[in-house]
Amino acid sequence: MNKTVNINLAGTFFHIDENAYQKLQRYLEAIKRSFTDSQGRNEIIADIEARIAELFNERVQNEKQVISIKEVEEVITIMGQPEDYIVDEEIFEDEPKKEYTKSRSHRKLFRDVDNAYVGGVSAGLGHYFGIDALWIRLIWVALFFGGGTGIFVYIILWILMPAAETTSDKLAMSGKPVNITNIEEKVKEGFSNVKDSLDEVADKVKNQDYQKVGNNIKSTSRSFFDALGNIIMFFFKIFAKFIGIILMLVGASVLISLIISLLSLGVADAFHVPGMDFAEVLNSSHLPIWAVSLLTLFAVGIPFFYLFILGLKILVKNIKSLGKLANFTLLGLWITSIILLTVFAAKGAAEFAREGSTTTKTEINITNNDTIFVKMVGNDTYSKHIHRDSDFDIIYDESDNKKIYSSDVRLIVRSTKDSLASVSIEKTARGNSYQSAKERANKIEFNFALEDNQLALNSYYLTDAENKYRDQDVTVILYLPEGTTLFADDNTYSFHRNSTHYRDILDNGFEGHYLKVVQDDLICLDCPKEDSFKVNVDIKDHDSKLKINQDGIEIKDADIKIKVNEDGVLGESESIKTIIDSSGITIKSKNN
């Protein structure tokens, strides 16, 4: 039985076997001895410990797992033995140098913040693909001016790509193995760059007249352009903060609205809350409402969540990234939701792709010598109103069966030369195929009845809720023999339309009157006389005028005026007035 030791390595706690701990301790001590006289010793050792902690994390499955000698040896193999690098090049100058085989490492995607113009995305992509970052930046410029799609893609990459902050990240970004040698070189490179910069500044200062330099510094510091630059930067920062606030508000408000509305819809469906029947009969995706709500939340909410995070990053510096696992999980959820919604939306649209219908024609005992009375009848259990409407409702019949109720019923009256009248019922619905649409149409329930020349037509239709709502409707065509007298009840007004498209001979406004059926028309038998006139002609030609209306015919020109109506004929000129009526002909001279 071995003891375990708790250690803190680069800020991370590990449980490690005692033997493994001793080996790791000897390894770290050897590393420290190797860099005793090295510049940046503390930074090198800190980066090495951070890399070792990262390798341990990759091998630990859970917090309680104990690191054994096996894991320590794997890490040492990757990092390399410190004694391999304790080589005094001056002493062994004449001896052949040892060659070491370096393990290859795949590049990892990071943002290169050290060479960034905006967010370091282009520089990071350049490292990853092994090309100059300039070409990446040129591609962004082309995308920015090519429809603006590049802006959205750049923002997404900025959010998803972590910044290369540690030495290990920078080495992994360049595709170099993260071992002792490369960490040492990278740290020393940084110190060398700083030293070169300091030497350059020192040389410049050394070769200058100090008083002149001081005067230049004073003059420059008070320069108008510096002051202008500071002002511009100040307003730019304010503008950036304002944009960050806007992004956060938009992202948060959309997310909250989505969560409240869609999850409420999903929960209501899962627990069968009243009112969800409408969504159920309209749902054509064959997915449960709660599943559609959840997929919509992911598809729309995830982009706005990242919009919120972007605004937060603009406002708060050094905010921690969500991490690779979270980012890729959310990306996977978003892509999966988009694909599923697209597939099921296409299936839902296909449910309305084809139209099918069934028609039944029934003769009724009405001849050309009969008078038929037509009215629409409703059912007070389902609705108190009788009016045509394309909407639908969910009701329960006398047997508590769930039904779709709609008053989308159209009435059309046409003349026929047949000896008997007939009623044609056309039921129409939609589906993903003609056959399925026809089957759904055939399941529509619609009735009519004829009793003592009283034709009662249902003002509604019913169908089982399981048939779903797919634009079902009913058209009733009443064929009446020429010579039949029709009396349409006032409640038929909204159910028919007189138009050439439907060839409906019953005109709106003639309900409540006795109408005689002639060829493709109706003649009102009890309408007021003035209502029977439908002609009103008023023609003017220079000095002449012809006027025809319900008052009769009137002709005028410069010399004569003639008027014909039910009282007779009146003719007038400048000198003579002629009257023809039931009394005979009367001619008068206006001069007498």
Side-chain angles (χ1 to χ4, degrees):
M1 181 181 293
N2 295 329
K3 294 181 180 180
T4 60
V5 180
N6 295 331
I7 63 171
N8 182 350
L9 190 62
T12 306
F13 287 95
F14 295 99
H15 302 288
I16 185 169
D17 181 83
E18 186 178 22
N19 296 332
Y21 169 71
Q22 291 174 359
K23 185 163 188 173
L24 177 62
Q25 191 176 33
R26 289 195 299 270
Y27 179 68
L28 292 174
E29 290 296 332
I31 291 174
K32 292 177 181 178
R33 289 196 300 272
S34 300
F35 297 109
T36 302
D37 299 325
S38 298
Q39 188 178 24
R41 174 178 179 272
N42 294 335
E43 287 77 6
I44 295 172
I45 292 173
D47 286 334
I48 291 173
E49 289 184 354
R51 175 57 177 165
I52 293 173
E54 182 181 342
L55 293 172
F56 280 156
N57 272 324
E58 293 175 359
R59 287 158 176 76
V60 172
Q61 302 297 325
N62 55 68
E63 295 180 355
K64 296 182 179 180
Q65 181 175 337
V66 178
I67 297 173
S68 63
I69 290 181
K70 179 185 175 183
E71 283 81 15
V72 173
E73 288 176 348
E74 289 177 358
V75 170
I76 292 174
T77 301
I78 294 172
M79 297 298 295
Q81 294 289 344
E83 55 266 21
D84 293 342
Y85 304 96
I86 309 176
V87 178
D88 191 337
E89 295 182 357
E90 294 180 358
I91 296 176
F92 300 100
E93 191 176 25
D94 298 330
E95 293 186 9
K97 296 182 179 179
K98 296 179 182 179
E99 294 183 0
Y100 303 96
T101 303
K102 296 184 178 180
S103 61
R104 294 185 178 180
S105 177
H106 296 288
R107 289 185 174 91
K108 294 185 178 180
L109 193 58
F110 288 95
R111 286 187 292 112
D112 188 358
V113 293
D114 294 335
N115 299 301
Y117 280 110
V118 181
V121 174
S122 300
L125 290 173
H127 286 297
Y128 187 77
F129 293 109
I131 59 176
D132 196 315
L134 175 63
W135 298 108
I136 304 293
R137 293 186 175 106
L138 290 176
I139 293 173
W140 288 127
V141 172
L143 290 174
F144 289 160
F145 292 100
T149 55
I151 298 175
F152 180 73
V153 176
Y154 189 93
I155 291 172
I156 293 297
L157 289 176
W158 192 353
I159 296 170
L160 293 178
M161 290 171 60
E165 296 175 347
T166 66
T167 304
S168 298
D169 293 343
K170 294 173 183 177
L171 289 173
M173 179 177 64
S174 302
K176 295 180 180 180
V178 187
N179 51 32
I180 295 175
T181 304
N182 289 332
I183 290 175
E184 179 187 4
E185 289 178 357
K186 193 69 177 176
V187 173
K188 287 185 176 180
E189 180 185 335
F191 276 94
S192 177
N193 292 336
V194 173
K195 183 177 181 301
D196 291 342
S197 299
L198 292 174
D199 291 342
E200 184 179 352
V201 173
D203 290 340
K204 289 182 178 180
V205 174
K206 185 177 180 180
N207 296 326
Q208 292 290 333
D209 186 295
Y210 293 110
Q211 186 175 359
K212 185 177 179 180
V213 171
N215 292 334
N216 288 337
I217 292 174
K218 286 183 180 180
S219 176
T220 305
S221 64
R222 296 173 183 174
S223 163
F224 167 78
F225 294 103
D226 284 350
L228 181 62
N230 292 333
I231 293 173
I232 293 173
M233 286 302 298
F234 173 75
F235 283 106
F236 178 78
K237 289 179 180 179
I238 292 177
F239 178 73
K241 298 292 184 184
F242 176 75
I243 294 297
I245 293 172
I246 294 297
L247 293 178
M248 286 184 62
L249 289 176
V250 171
S253 58
V254 172
L255 278 174
I256 293 171
S257 301
L258 281 172
I259 290 171
I260 292 175
S261 58
L262 296 179
L263 288 187
S264 298
L265 187 65
V267 170
D269 174 63
F271 290 96
H272 304 289
V273 176
M276 291 304 300
D277 294 334
F278 290 95
E280 185 61 35
V281 299
L282 283 172
N283 182 21
S284 56
S285 65
H286 302 293
L287 274 177
I289 300 298
W290 65 264
V292 176
S293 301
L294 196 61
L295 289 175
T296 306
L297 177 62
F298 288 148
V300 180
I302 289 176
F304 281 96
F305 171 73
Y306 277 108
L307 196 68
F308 174 80
I309 294 297
L310 179 59
L312 192 61
K313 282 189 172 183
I314 293 174
L315 289 175
V316 182
K317 292 183 178 180
N318 301 324
I319 188 172
K320 289 185 178 180
S321 176
L322 294 176
K324 290 182 182 179
L325 181 60
N327 284 327
F328 283 111
T329 301
L330 289 174
L331 180 62
L333 281 173
W334 181 70
I335 293 174
T336 303
S337 301
I338 291 293
I339 293 173
L340 288 176
L341 285 176
T342 302
V343 170
F344 284 103
K347 289 184 66 176
E351 287 291 319
F352 294 83
R354 296 287 183 268
E355 184 178 80
S357 63
T358 60
T359 302
T360 57
K361 192 172 184 178
T362 306
E363 288 187 341
I364 56 177
N365 191 23
I366 297 294
T367 64
N368 57 0
N369 295 319
D370 294 330
T371 298
I372 185 172
F373 298 87
V374 179
K375 69 182 298 185
M376 309 302 292
V377 294
N379 189 321
D380 291 342
T381 305
Y382 307 143
S383 177
K384 301 295 183 182
H385 305 284
I386 297 178
H387 190 276
R388 183 173 183 267
D389 199 333
S390 59
D391 291 337
F392 72 96
D393 200 356
I394 304 297
I395 56 93
Y396 289 85
D397 62 11
E398 293 81 0
S399 303
D400 285 338
N401 297 316
K402 187 162 65 172
K403 301 275 188 178
I404 296 174
Y405 166 92
S406 176
S407 58
D408 193 0
V409 177
R410 181 178 294 280
L411 172 63
I412 298 174
V413 180
R414 293 175 184 169
S415 64
T416 181
K417 295 187 179 297
D418 296 338
S419 58
L420 286 177
S422 60
V423 178
S424 175
I425 308 297
E426 181 181 359
K427 304 172 183 178
T428 306
R430 289 188 173 274
N432 55 15
S433 66
Y434 172 76
Q435 190 60 36
S436 65
K438 187 175 180 180
E439 290 177 1
R440 184 175 281 117
N442 196 43
K443 294 176 181 178
I444 296 174
E445 303 169 15
F446 180 83
N447 298 309
F448 69 91
L450 178 68
E451 185 176 353
D452 296 333
N453 289 9
Q454 299 273 352
L455 179 63
L457 301 170
N458 278 5
S459 61
Y460 61 93
Y461 70 78
L462 299 174
T463 187
D464 288 335
E466 63 184 16
N467 296 326
K468 306 286 187 179
Y469 179 75
R470 297 293 180 269
D471 283 347
Q472 290 97 328
D473 62 62
V474 174
T475 300
V476 181
I477 304 177
L478 177 60
Y479 293 96
L480 297 177
E482 295 177 8
T484 306
T485 300
L486 168 67
F487 185 92
D489 193 273
D490 288 337
N491 68 6
T492 64
Y493 178 87
S494 63
F495 291 87
H496 70 90
R497 288 291 183 272
N498 181 271
S499 67
T500 56
H501 177 72
Y502 296 109
R503 294 189 295 124
D504 184 6
I505 62 175
L506 177 59
D507 198 0
N508 287 110
F510 280 86
E511 299 84 1
H513 292 285
Y514 288 91
L515 309 170
K516 186 175 183 180
V517 179
V518 296
Q519 183 177 1
D520 296 330
D521 203 357
L522 292 171
I523 297 176
C524 184
L525 302 178
D526 60 347
C527 295
K529 187 176 291 186
E530 58 269 17
D531 291 344
S532 63
F533 285 95
K534 295 186 178 181
V535 180
N536 190 348
V537 180
D538 193 352
I539 301 175
K540 294 181 180 179
D541 182 15
H542 298 292
D543 296 330
S544 299
K545 181 179 180 182
L546 171 64
K547 187 176 182 180
I548 304 174
N549 54 30
Q550 62 267 26
D551 296 327
I553 301 173
E554 184 177 332
I555 302 173
K556 289 182 181 181
D557 64 12
D559 301 321
I560 191 171
K561 174 183 176 183
I562 300 174
K563 187 175 182 180
V564 182
N565 55 30
E566 58 184 3
D567 296 327
V569 179
L570 172 65
E572 290 183 285
S573 66
E574 292 182 355
S575 57
I576 298 175
K577 180 179 181 181
T578 303
I579 301 173
I580 303 175
D581 55 17
S582 57
S583 302
I585 300 175
T586 304
I587 301 176
K588 294 182 180 180
S589 174
K590 291 184 177 181
N591 296 327
N592 296 330

